[in-house]
Amino acid sequence: MNFVIVGNGAAGIAAAEAIRKLDQDSPITILAEEPCHYYSRIRLIDYLAGKVAEDGLLLKRPEWYQSQGIEVRLGERVVAFDQARRELSCASGACLGYDRLLIATGAKSFLPAAPGIDQELVFTLRTLADARRIVAAARGGRRVVMLGGGILSLEAASALQQLGCEITVVEYFERLLPRQMDRQGSLVLQGLFEARGMRFFLGAKSYEVTGTGTANGVRLADGTTLPGDLVLVGAGVRPDTYLAQASGLAVGKGIEVNDRMETAVAGVFAAGDVAQHRGVLYGIWPAAMQQGQVAGTNMAGGEASFTGLAMSNTLKVAGIDLFSLGDIDPDDKLESVVFRDQGLYKKAVFKENMVAGAILLGDLSSRSALQRAMSQGRIISDADRLAMRQGDFSLTA
Ligand SMILES: Cc1cc2nc3c(=O)[nH]c(=O)nc-3n(C[C@H](O)[C@H](O)[C@H](O)COP(=O)(O)OP(=O)(O)OC[C@H]3O[C@@H](n4cnc5c(N)ncnc54)[C@H](O)[C@@H]3O)c2cc1C
């Protein structure tokens, strides 16, 4: 059996490991467009802040691939595969046959169609190469306009603040972290960031990036001008379905897969940020790992299923602890318990007496308890509800 994996990220590597567990002999080839070995995208934030050097980002060293009998070809972009001949073609002109193929091409940063956005000094953050360019432009403490107020944007903005940059955040929605926070919670969060000197312009439905070939700021629809030495766009990601589409594989928002991570084409699997499973695009590391592991097991003839994952996010900004889980009920349509205190905001959302979602800001000590209760479908007692009203979300009442 000849295994080929396109993509050297969390999903691709998890799949290779799962294949090797079941099959120690067959060839495994990983084709990776980026010219570097498997590294932590999550820690690119620490790299921006100057807390870790490039070498510290590496999760697998060349020796690992050798010890596992895995051939990895770096800087090799796959442009198409032929379903009938089971053959891949690369931009370099190389061709490669496969018996089982995994598409783990991840996602790409989304660039909104705003005037002036294609200028020099406008950046997105997805790869190590992106991070290098941002660090070079921000060195010396520059004025940064951040377009987007999601988790990744706030983490990147905080990292650049540590380099001495002055940060202004522009967000389309009326509140920060629209997908992870309700209104009240995001106001508390905004206060914490403002106390650190960040400025926010929320509800900015349209804007243009100013400059004459090189960005020098952002102008909002009401005429407000925000000067900036660089502009960082954090407008989310889109699955990188280029290869699938170029090869005639049907795609929705991502590559549609079943619980075994199989696509509609026999012998072809997909996993990670590129995959759409039961309609869901996860875009998070734990899902990429689990899906990759399931795909690899099934590719090697084993039996594994991915049945879904409760969406959770943790903001990694020193001194600001935030965790959100599942359905955070932004419009207060469900039953919930909220506890507020200075710099603290906690919320648990219930459906049929079970935890359906939660927000923890300022104290993450009950994160595991809430995750467990949600995944186990535990019934929440009146005593637990009472304890929550008094700030204790540990579910031990
Ligand atoms: C700065 C940052 C911080 C993040 N923080 C968190 C976090 O705190 N928690 C969390 O859960 N998630 C986080 N994420 C998201 C997480 O990194 C992704 O969900 C995860 O990396 C997805 O893994 P993947 O293997 O699906 O794709 P990727 O890691 O994107 O890997 C895909 C690889 O495929 C390669 N590729 C694409 N097309 C081709 C082609 N045609 N030929 C060859 N190779 C190709 C790409 O170059 C890439 O290296 C963060 C992401 C970023 C950018």
Side-chain angles (χ1 to χ4, degrees), residues 24-91:
Q24 283 81 45
D25 304 317
S26 297
I28 302 176
T29 308
I30 300 180
L31 303 167
E33 183 177 7
E34 284 183 77
C36 40
H37 281 295
Y38 177 44
Y39 64 91
S40 171
R41 268 183 221 295
I42 296 178
R43 295 208 69 201
L44 287 178
I45 299 292
D46 291 333
Y47 175 78
L48 280 193
K51 287 188 189 159
V52 63
E54 283 191 18
D55 192 54
L57 297 173
L58 268 193
L59 295 173
K60 297 285 185 214
R61 298 190 172 274
E63 307 81 87
W64 178 80
Y65 297 91
Q66 278 158 19
S67 70
Q68 297 299 306
I70 296 171
E71 183 190 355
V72 61
R73 298 193 198 168
L74 301 178
E76 188 78 278
R77 175 170 170 75
V78 182
V79 289
F81 63 91
D82 185 316
Q83 299 179 18
R85 294 167 59 194
R86 296 201 170 199
E87 194 175 86
L88 294 159
S89 40
C90 301

Side-chain angles (χ1 to χ4, degrees), residues 5-13 31-34 36 38-45 76-79 104-109 125-127 151-152 155-156 237 240 242-243 271-275 282-289 312-314 316:
I5 296 171
V6 185
N8 194 21
I13 295 296
L31 303 167
E33 183 177 7
E34 284 183 77
C36 40
Y38 177 44
Y39 64 91
S40 171
R41 268 183 221 295
I42 296 178
R43 295 208 69 201
L44 287 178
I45 299 292
E76 188 78 278
R77 175 170 170 75
V78 182
V79 289
T105 48
K108 281 204 175 326
S109 301
L125 174 61
R126 178 73 191 181
T127 63
I151 286 213
L152 189 53
E155 288 178 352
V237 293
D240 188 349
Y242 172 86
L243 170 60
D273 283 8
V274 75
Y282 282 93
I284 53 173
W285 190 275
M289 295 281 289
S312 72
N313 285 282
T314 305
K316 290 166 296 306

